[in-house]
């Protein structure tokens, strides 16, 4: 079956530090890949996505590149802010079959001033 | 504004109660989803509706009963729940379920506590 593996959290950083949250996946074919973010007390919202190999998704300073050869979609940001503190979810939707999403467990990010 | 609203935001119920969760989307989407989010566990997909028809039931116990009267509204009817059912229940919508590129839009969730 399909699966998404994210690094365990929490990830704790100082403001302006570089962020990487690792995500690897298992799926047949060419799934679409997503990063969602959940701020405290809210639902998930799309941060960025990539729909084919070597695509780079970007939004609000965050980037992730779809790497088919390593089945990865790592999230990066060059300089984090306190307001980036949230839980980040990596997800995939397979390219065939039921098109049902699979989510990772989520990685909590805490950014200190 | 996410375009997906959920009520109530918080619910406390006893194991013998019957209650319902409501979700409404204002995005013109045709697919709606219920998820369960528990601490320390992955997001669990419960049900999927596409054009008002249930297309997925992810082995959910019968004490959870979904209803989708139209493409804009989704309900989750609850009865004789267990304490382990306490969680955040998230509703989401997307344009359709027949594509791998579709983005899901989530509501803020209902925080359910079963005593």
């Amino acid at each position: 079956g399909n699966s998404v593996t994210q690094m365990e959290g929490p990830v704790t950083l100082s403001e302006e530090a570089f962020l990487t949250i690792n995500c690897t996946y298992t799926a047949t074919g060419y799934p679409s890949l997503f990063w969602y973010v959940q701020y405290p007390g809210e639902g998930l919202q799309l941060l960025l996505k990539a729909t084919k190999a070597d695509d780079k998704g970007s939004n609000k300073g965050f980037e992730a590149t779809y790497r088919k050869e390593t089945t990865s979609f790592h999230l990066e940001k060059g300089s984090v802010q306190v307001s980036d503190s949230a839980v980040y979810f990596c997800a995939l939707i397979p390219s065939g079959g039921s098109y049902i999403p699979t989510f990772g467990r989520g990685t909590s990010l805490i950014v200190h001033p | 504004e996410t375009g997906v609203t959920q009520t109530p935001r918080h619910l406390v119920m006893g194991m013998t109660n019957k209650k319902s969760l409501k979700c409404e989307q204002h995005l013109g989407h045709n697919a709606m989803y219920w998820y369960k989010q528990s601490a320390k566990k992955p997001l669990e997909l419960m049900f999927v509706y596409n054009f008002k028809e249930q297309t997925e039931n992810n082995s959910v116990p019968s004490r959870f009963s979904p209803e989708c009267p139209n493409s804009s509204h989704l309900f989750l009817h609850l009865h004789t729940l267990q304490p382990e059912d306490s969680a955040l229940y998230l509703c989401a919508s997307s344009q359709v379920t027949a594509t791998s590129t579709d983005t899901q839009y989530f509501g803020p969730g209902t925080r359910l506590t079963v005593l």
Side-chain angles (χ1 to χ4, degrees):
Chain A
N2 302 320
S3 67
V4 175
T5 303
Q6 292 181 235
M7 58 192 294
E8 295 258 345
V11 173
T12 304
L13 295 172
S14 297
E15 206 165 23
E16 299 184 1
F18 184 87
L19 168 71
T20 300
I21 299 178
N22 291 336
C23 171
T24 57
Y25 68 90
T26 302
T28 55
Y30 292 85
S32 292
L33 303 174
F34 302 79
W35 276 103
Y36 285 85
V37 58
Q38 185 178 31
Y39 297 103
E42 299 182 14
L44 281 69
Q45 55 185 276
L46 179 71
L47 181 59
L48 53 85
K49 70 179 183 182
T51 59
K52 60 183 187 293
D54 300 323
D55 266 3
K56 178 185 283 186
S58 61
N59 185 27
K60 300 181 181 178
F62 291 90
E63 293 183 339
T65 300
Y66 189 139
R67 301 286 187 199
K68 180 67 176 173
E69 63 275 15
T70 55
T71 61
S72 65
F73 193 54
H74 305 320
L75 182 68
E76 297 182 335
K77 187 175 185 183
S79 176
V80 293
Q81 305 300 312
V82 172
S83 57
D84 294 326
S85 298
V87 181
Y88 292 81
F89 293 87
C90 186
L92 69 82
I93 297 180
S95 55
S98 63
Y99 301 103
I100 297 302
T102 298
F103 285 82
R105 288 178 174 262
T107 302
S108 175
L109 170 64
I110 301 169
V111 181
H112 294 294
Chain B
E1 171 63 69
T2 63
V4 181
T5 58
Q6 290 187 243
T7 54
R9 293 294 307 276
H10 301 273
L11 177 62
V12 179
M13 59 187 289
M15 290 191 287
T16 58
N17 291 159
K18 290 184 180 181
K19 297 287 185 183
S20 295
L21 309 185
K22 179 183 176 183
C23 175
E24 183 173 1
Q25 59 95 0
H26 312 275
L27 300 169
H29 290 164
N30 297 300
M32 296 188 78
Y33 310 74
W34 279 118
Y35 288 90
K36 176 182 179 184
Q37 186 177 30
S38 306
K40 307 294 185 184
K41 294 178 71 175
L43 203 59
E44 299 174 57
L45 179 67
M46 300 175 72
F47 301 104
V48 180
Y49 279 81
N50 202 26
F51 293 94
K52 302 189 299 178
E53 298 296 320
Q54 186 179 125
T55 56
E56 289 286 329
N57 177 338
N58 201 20
S59 303
V60 180
S62 60
R63 57 186 184 269
F64 295 92
S65 175
E67 179 190 0
C68 188
N70 55 62
S71 291
S72 298
H73 294 86
L74 184 64
F75 295 89
L76 189 61
H77 304 298
L78 316 171
H79 64 97
T80 59
L81 293 191
Q82 305 299 310
E84 59 265 29
D85 297 322
S86 298
L88 182 68
Y89 288 84
L90 292 166
C91 174
S93 71
S94 67
Q95 188 60 45
V96 290
T97 62
T99 169
S100 65
T101 62
D102 223 8
T103 298
Q104 294 197 313
Y105 293 81
F106 286 80
T110 295
R111 174 67 63 186
L112 173 66
T113 303
V114 182
L115 301 176

